[in-house]
């Protein structure tokens, strides 16, 4: 928990100000101003600490000491003690930042961002919760068939800012393609129709540099949603400081860089293929004779990227709204209510039927 240097109140990251803010005295600080409060957690990762009340320096208590947990729950759960009120906070094993359900104070779980779990970079939130709520309201506005739960004000305002874990890949891709291509043209005179066919062998060789290609590093995140809200402006990335997490939920990776690289490789190959295909559009007929993409100098950085998220369960299916917390680009799927569809159809067809009946009477 980060304290205001002026009044000792808990502080949070303020996206609109681009600074850490104290909601009690109105002060603002750069994350570097709080660096002296940042605890070190070297050697704590993976170890069980006695379940004594935690301080900012001793925040991790594993669920192995929890009473009433099943073995499966112990494996995926952690129990923490809030530094402010000593209330127990139960989180998933991958949670890095949250809020105490008893006193509401933001808490950064330092054991989850220590050693190899500590991100290299963080892209701070630029857009506020109010802006995310407005975007979601606009998304459902004017859609009469969407169920009421998706338009409920209290539900919409439960949207959360999440620092999502990503691997950012840098790589150089060498492309070597060969095609057989055909061009055909036809013309006619008064006696004959002529057709000319030219056959070509096309070679496309070149290098493509990729910098900061993002791949989400959490099994709880849907790759399709995360790719839909790209790009993130990595020019706004900062060296990681836990002060950025204060006031938000943060997750840590559970998909390592090696597994994520398969996704990165597939995206790189698809991009290179698209670039090469664009270079041969002048030829209406092509066939691939050789296709090779070689990756060199692959490097991955661990980063936390800002996402506003809201998941809604409706008829046993989860519908997700996700918004880029930096650019505002969003994606969201919405169902239609069967009852509303029937009511809408009935409301339309009855007046139409009445008009048709009236016309029939007039015609008679």
């Amino acid at each position: 928990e980060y304290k205001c240097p002026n009044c000792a109140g808990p502080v949070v990251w303020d996206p609109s100000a681009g600074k850490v803010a104290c909601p009690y005295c109105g002060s603002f600080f750069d994350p570097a101003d709080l660096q002296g409060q940042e605890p070190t957690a070297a050697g704590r990762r993976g170890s069980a600490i006695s379940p004594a009340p935690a301080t900012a320096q001793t925040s991790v208590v594993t669920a192995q000491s929890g009473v009433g947990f099943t073995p499966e729950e112990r494996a995926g759960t952690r129990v923490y003690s809030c530094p402010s009120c000593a209330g127990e906070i139960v989180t998933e094993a991958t949670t890095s930042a949250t809020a105490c359900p008893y006193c509401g104070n933001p808490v950064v779980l330092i054991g989850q961002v220590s050693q190899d779990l500590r991100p290299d970079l963080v892209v701070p939130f630029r857009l506020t919760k109010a802006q995310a709520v407005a975007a979601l309201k606009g998304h459902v506005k004017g859609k009469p068939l969407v169920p009421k739960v998706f338009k409920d004000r209290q539900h919409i305002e439960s949207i959360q800012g999440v620092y999502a874990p990503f691997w950012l890949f840098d790589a150089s891709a060498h492309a070597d393609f060969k095609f057989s291509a055909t061009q055909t043209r036809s013309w006619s005179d008064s006696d004959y129709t002529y057709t000319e066919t030219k056959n070509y062998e096309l070679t496309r060789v070149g290098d493509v540099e990729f910098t900061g290609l993002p791949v989400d590093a959490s099994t709880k995140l849907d790759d399709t949603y995360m790719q839909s809200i790209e790009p993130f402006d990595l020019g706004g990335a900062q060296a990681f400081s836990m002060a950025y997490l204060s006031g938000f939920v943060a997750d840590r990776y559970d998909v390592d860089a090696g597994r994520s690289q398969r996704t990165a490789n597939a995206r790189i190959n698809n991009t290179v293929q698209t670039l090469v295909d664009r270079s041969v559009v002048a030829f209406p007929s092509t066939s691939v004779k050789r296709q090779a993409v070689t990756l060199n100098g692959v490097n991955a950085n661990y980063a936390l990227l800002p996402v506003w998220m809201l998941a809604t369960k409706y008829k046993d299916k989860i519908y997700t709204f996700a918004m880029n917390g930096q650019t505002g680009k969003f994606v969201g799927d919405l169902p239609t209510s069967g009852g509303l569809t029937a009511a809408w159809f009935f409301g339309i067809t009855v007046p139409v039927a009445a008009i048709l009946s009236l016309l029939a009477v007039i015609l008679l």
Side-chain angles (χ1 to χ4, degrees):
E1 185 178 76
Y2 285 87
K3 299 288 189 180
C4 172
N6 295 333
C7 72
V11 295
V12 295
W13 174 258
D14 185 338
S16 60
K19 291 179 178 292
V20 178
C22 176
Y24 300 94
C25 67
S27 301
F28 292 92
F29 309 94
D30 289 321
D33 297 334
L34 306 177
Q35 200 68 29
Q37 295 187 35
E38 189 154 311
T40 58
R44 295 287 175 89
R45 186 175 63 85
S47 62
I49 302 174
S50 62
T55 66
Q57 285 73 35
T58 58
S59 65
V60 180
V61 180
T62 71
Q64 303 299 327
S65 59
V67 177
F69 287 106
T70 66
E72 292 78 13
E73 289 171 332
R74 288 192 186 103
T77 309
R78 296 292 183 269
V79 180
Y80 302 86
S81 182
C82 174
S84 291
C85 70
E88 266 197 352
I89 305 169
V90 181
T91 74
E92 292 186 3
T94 56
T95 301
S96 298
T98 185
C100 176
Y102 305 104
C103 66
N105 284 343
V107 181
V108 178
L109 312 177
I110 63 172
Q112 301 292 57
V113 290
S114 62
Q115 297 180 13
D116 59 320
L117 300 179
R118 185 182 179 89
D120 301 301
L121 302 168
V122 58
V123 174
F125 275 86
R126 285 185 187 168
L127 301 180
T128 64
K129 181 175 181 177
Q131 290 170 303
V133 167
L136 181 51
K137 286 181 177 178
H139 182 51
V140 300
K141 185 179 180 180
K143 298 180 174 66
L145 303 184
V146 172
K148 290 182 179 179
V149 64
F150 289 84
K151 300 180 179 181
D152 179 74
R153 182 178 65 85
Q154 186 174 355
H155 175 67
I156 288 177
E157 291 183 356
S158 65
I159 192 170
Q160 282 190 314
V162 179
Y163 276 108
F166 277 77
W167 292 106
L168 304 179
F169 286 91
D170 300 335
S172 175
H174 178 74
D176 185 357
F177 285 69
K178 183 174 284 188
F179 300 86
S180 293
T182 302
Q183 272 188 338
T184 303
R185 70 185 184 103
S186 298
W187 69 96
S188 300
D189 59 22
S190 58
D191 298 316
Y192 301 99
T193 297
Y194 304 91
T195 299
E196 178 187 68
T197 300
K198 294 182 178 180
N199 297 309
Y200 298 90
E201 184 174 82
L202 308 178
T203 300
R204 296 292 184 267
V205 178
D207 296 293
V208 184
E209 297 294 327
F210 292 84
T211 302
L213 176 69
V215 177
D216 77 71
S218 171
T219 55
K220 297 188 288 295
L221 296 175
D222 187 307
D223 290 353
T224 303
Y225 282 104
M226 294 301 103
Q227 290 178 20
S228 296
I229 63 174
E230 292 178 14
F232 290 88
D233 178 11
L234 299 181
Q238 304 293 325
F240 179 74
S241 167
M242 287 189 286
Y244 290 108
L245 309 188
S246 186
F248 293 89
V249 174
D251 202 0
R252 67 170 172 82
Y253 74 84
D254 59 2
V255 180
D256 62 27
R259 288 169 57 195
S260 295
Q261 188 176 339
R262 299 173 206 163
T263 302
N265 290 352
R267 296 189 67 183
I268 289 172
N269 274 279
N270 289 339
T271 300
V272 171
Q273 179 72 64
T274 299
L275 292 172
V276 172
D277 288 345
R278 288 176 183 171
S279 74
V280 297
V281 292
F283 300 88
S285 176
T286 59
S287 61
V288 179
K289 296 180 67 176
R290 182 177 69 243
Q291 177 178 329
V293 178
T294 306
L295 299 184
N296 299 298
V298 179
N299 180 60
N301 288 304
Y302 177 31
L304 296 181
L305 305 184
V307 183
W308 287 103
M309 297 190 71
L310 181 64
T312 306
K313 189 172 183 179
Y314 179 74
K315 292 187 176 180
D316 297 324
K317 183 179 177 181
I318 301 295
Y319 295 87
T320 302
F321 174 87
M323 187 179 95
N324 186 315
Q326 183 190 38
T327 68
K329 185 178 180 182
F330 70 81
V331 61
D333 53 349
L334 296 171
T336 56
S337 168
L340 288 174
T341 303
W344 183 82
F345 179 77
F346 184 76
I348 294 295
T349 54
V350 169
V352 170
I355 292 170
L356 292 176
S357 297
L358 179 62
L359 288 174
V361 170
I362 292 173
L363 291 173
L364 288 175

